[in-house]
Amino acid sequence: MLALMSIAPEPDIEVRMRLFRPASLLLFGVLVVAVIFAVAWQYGWHGRLAFSESAGDARAQIQSAALMLQSGQYRAAEEQLAPILRNPKNPLYRQAKLLQWRIARTQALAIPPQSPARQRAEAGLLPLLDGLLQLGGWTPPELRSLAKDAFAVGAYRLSAKFWIAAAKADPSFSMQGQWQAAKALAAGGDAAAAGQILLDLAAKTPDPARQKALLFQGGQWLQGGAGAAVALTRCQALLARRPELWQDRQVVLFMSRLAMAAGQPALAAQWLHSELLRPEQAGKSS
């Protein structure tokens, strides 16, 4: 009994042991959290550093590629851009895509015009241009530049799309952008679509002189692309929205010629007769 009592822990020691175990566990947990936080912070810092270094490398590669483009080293310039172009998440990916286009465009335009090699080079530019259009997010000046580039290499439909995108991105450029889009479509052989754009613009503009000019050009393009009957119908629809244009003798004569071309001489005669019945107003508008 004495032996058992001699080895039994003292009450205050037993209490301290019970208190020590939770404290130890708490201290251990704090240490673990501290280690995890330190590792996470260090990893995050190194991640940011690696990101910064990567962005710096990309900027250097783009600058090198631009210099190589200026000196005519096209293949070397493309090789500089290759690592960036493989990673669409790179913050400089868009800039690299734009420079890639400029390299390809410069190479194509350096080939003699009308040659088979030039035609092949220009055909190879279409996927690049379409990719830039699909990428989106370009500024109005960039869109206008791409539209001009596309027109220069014969990509007229894509040029029109870039002009339309530029018109939407910059409301102050809307009329001019749509006009340029119509010109591109007409150059590409789609005169009907070009003419319809001009008639739509004529319906929107408040300037009578511009309305008349757009009516004439739009009607001519429609006639050439879709036939006189379609052009007559579309122009009549415009004049229904802008009836004041009928007061202009040049408009009446234009519509009469269009009616004749469309096989409707009676309609042309009706318009001309109405015009002759008001000589004073017609004389003022001529």
Side-chain angles (χ1 to χ4, degrees), residues 3-283:
L4 292 174
M5 293 179 61
S6 63
I7 61 175
E10 296 182 5
D12 56 341
I13 295 176
E14 186 176 358
V15 171
R16 283 197 300 270
M17 289 178 65
R18 285 199 303 268
L19 294 175
F20 177 74
R21 281 194 293 269
S24 299
L25 293 173
L26 180 61
L27 179 60
F28 177 75
V30 171
L31 289 174
V32 169
V33 172
V35 169
I36 293 174
F37 178 80
V39 171
W41 180 86
Q42 185 177 14
Y43 178 83
W45 182 81
H46 282 299
R48 287 191 297 271
L49 179 60
F51 177 82
S52 177
E53 290 174 348
S54 176
D57 290 342
R59 279 191 294 270
Q61 289 166 336
I62 288 176
Q63 291 171 359
S64 297
L67 291 173
M68 291 173 180
L69 169 61
Q70 293 177 5
S71 62
Q73 302 178 62
Y74 305 126
R75 181 62 60 83
E78 290 172 343
E79 291 175 353
Q80 285 291 315
L81 295 179
I84 307 173
L85 296 174
R86 285 195 293 266
N87 180 19
K89 294 183 179 180
N90 191 303
L92 297 180
Y93 176 79
R94 297 171 61 81
Q95 190 174 344
K97 289 290 291 184
L98 199 56
L99 186 53
Q100 180 192 33
W101 157 251
R102 289 171 180 162
I103 294 169
R105 177 204 61 188
T106 304
Q107 284 183 282
L109 294 179
I111 302 173
Q114 309 303 324
S115 65
R118 173 69 170 264
Q119 294 176 357
R120 288 193 297 271
E122 289 182 348
L125 295 176
L126 297 181
L128 287 176
L129 272 173
D130 188 61
L132 292 173
L133 182 65
Q134 297 302 322
L135 189 59
W138 305 107
T139 65
E142 288 171 337
L143 288 168
R144 291 193 289 268
S145 178
L146 288 168
K148 293 175 183 177
D149 286 349
F151 194 95
V153 299
Y156 300 114
R157 290 182 183 276
L158 284 171
S159 177
K161 290 181 179 180
F162 277 114
W163 282 122
I164 292 295
K168 291 179 179 178
D170 182 4
S172 66
F173 184 73
S174 179
M175 294 287 290
Q176 186 178 350
Q178 292 180 69
W179 166 253
Q180 293 293 344
K183 288 175 61 178
L185 288 171
D190 196 351
Q196 188 58 55
I197 289 176
L198 295 193
L199 293 187
D200 291 341
L201 287 177
K204 297 175 184 176
T205 180
D207 181 6
R210 189 166 180 80
Q211 289 172 5
K212 187 168 70 170
L214 291 168
L215 167 66
F216 292 164
Q217 185 63 74
Q220 290 171 8
W221 278 346
L222 268 168
Q223 183 178 0
V230 172
L232 178 62
T233 300
R234 302 283 179 83
C235 289
Q236 285 181 282
L238 168 63
L239 291 172
R241 299 174 65 182
R242 293 290 186 182
E244 65 275 12
L245 286 174
W246 279 114
Q247 304 303 313
D248 191 295
R249 170 174 287 179
Q250 292 180 335
V251 171
V252 175
L253 293 176
F254 173 79
M255 292 297 294
S256 298
R257 287 193 295 269
L258 197 56
M260 290 292 292
Q264 298 193 42
L267 187 58
Q270 175 187 335
W271 288 336
L272 290 173
H273 181 70
S274 298
E275 180 65 19
L276 290 174
L277 292 178
R278 51 184 186 86
E280 293 183 3
Q281 293 89 336

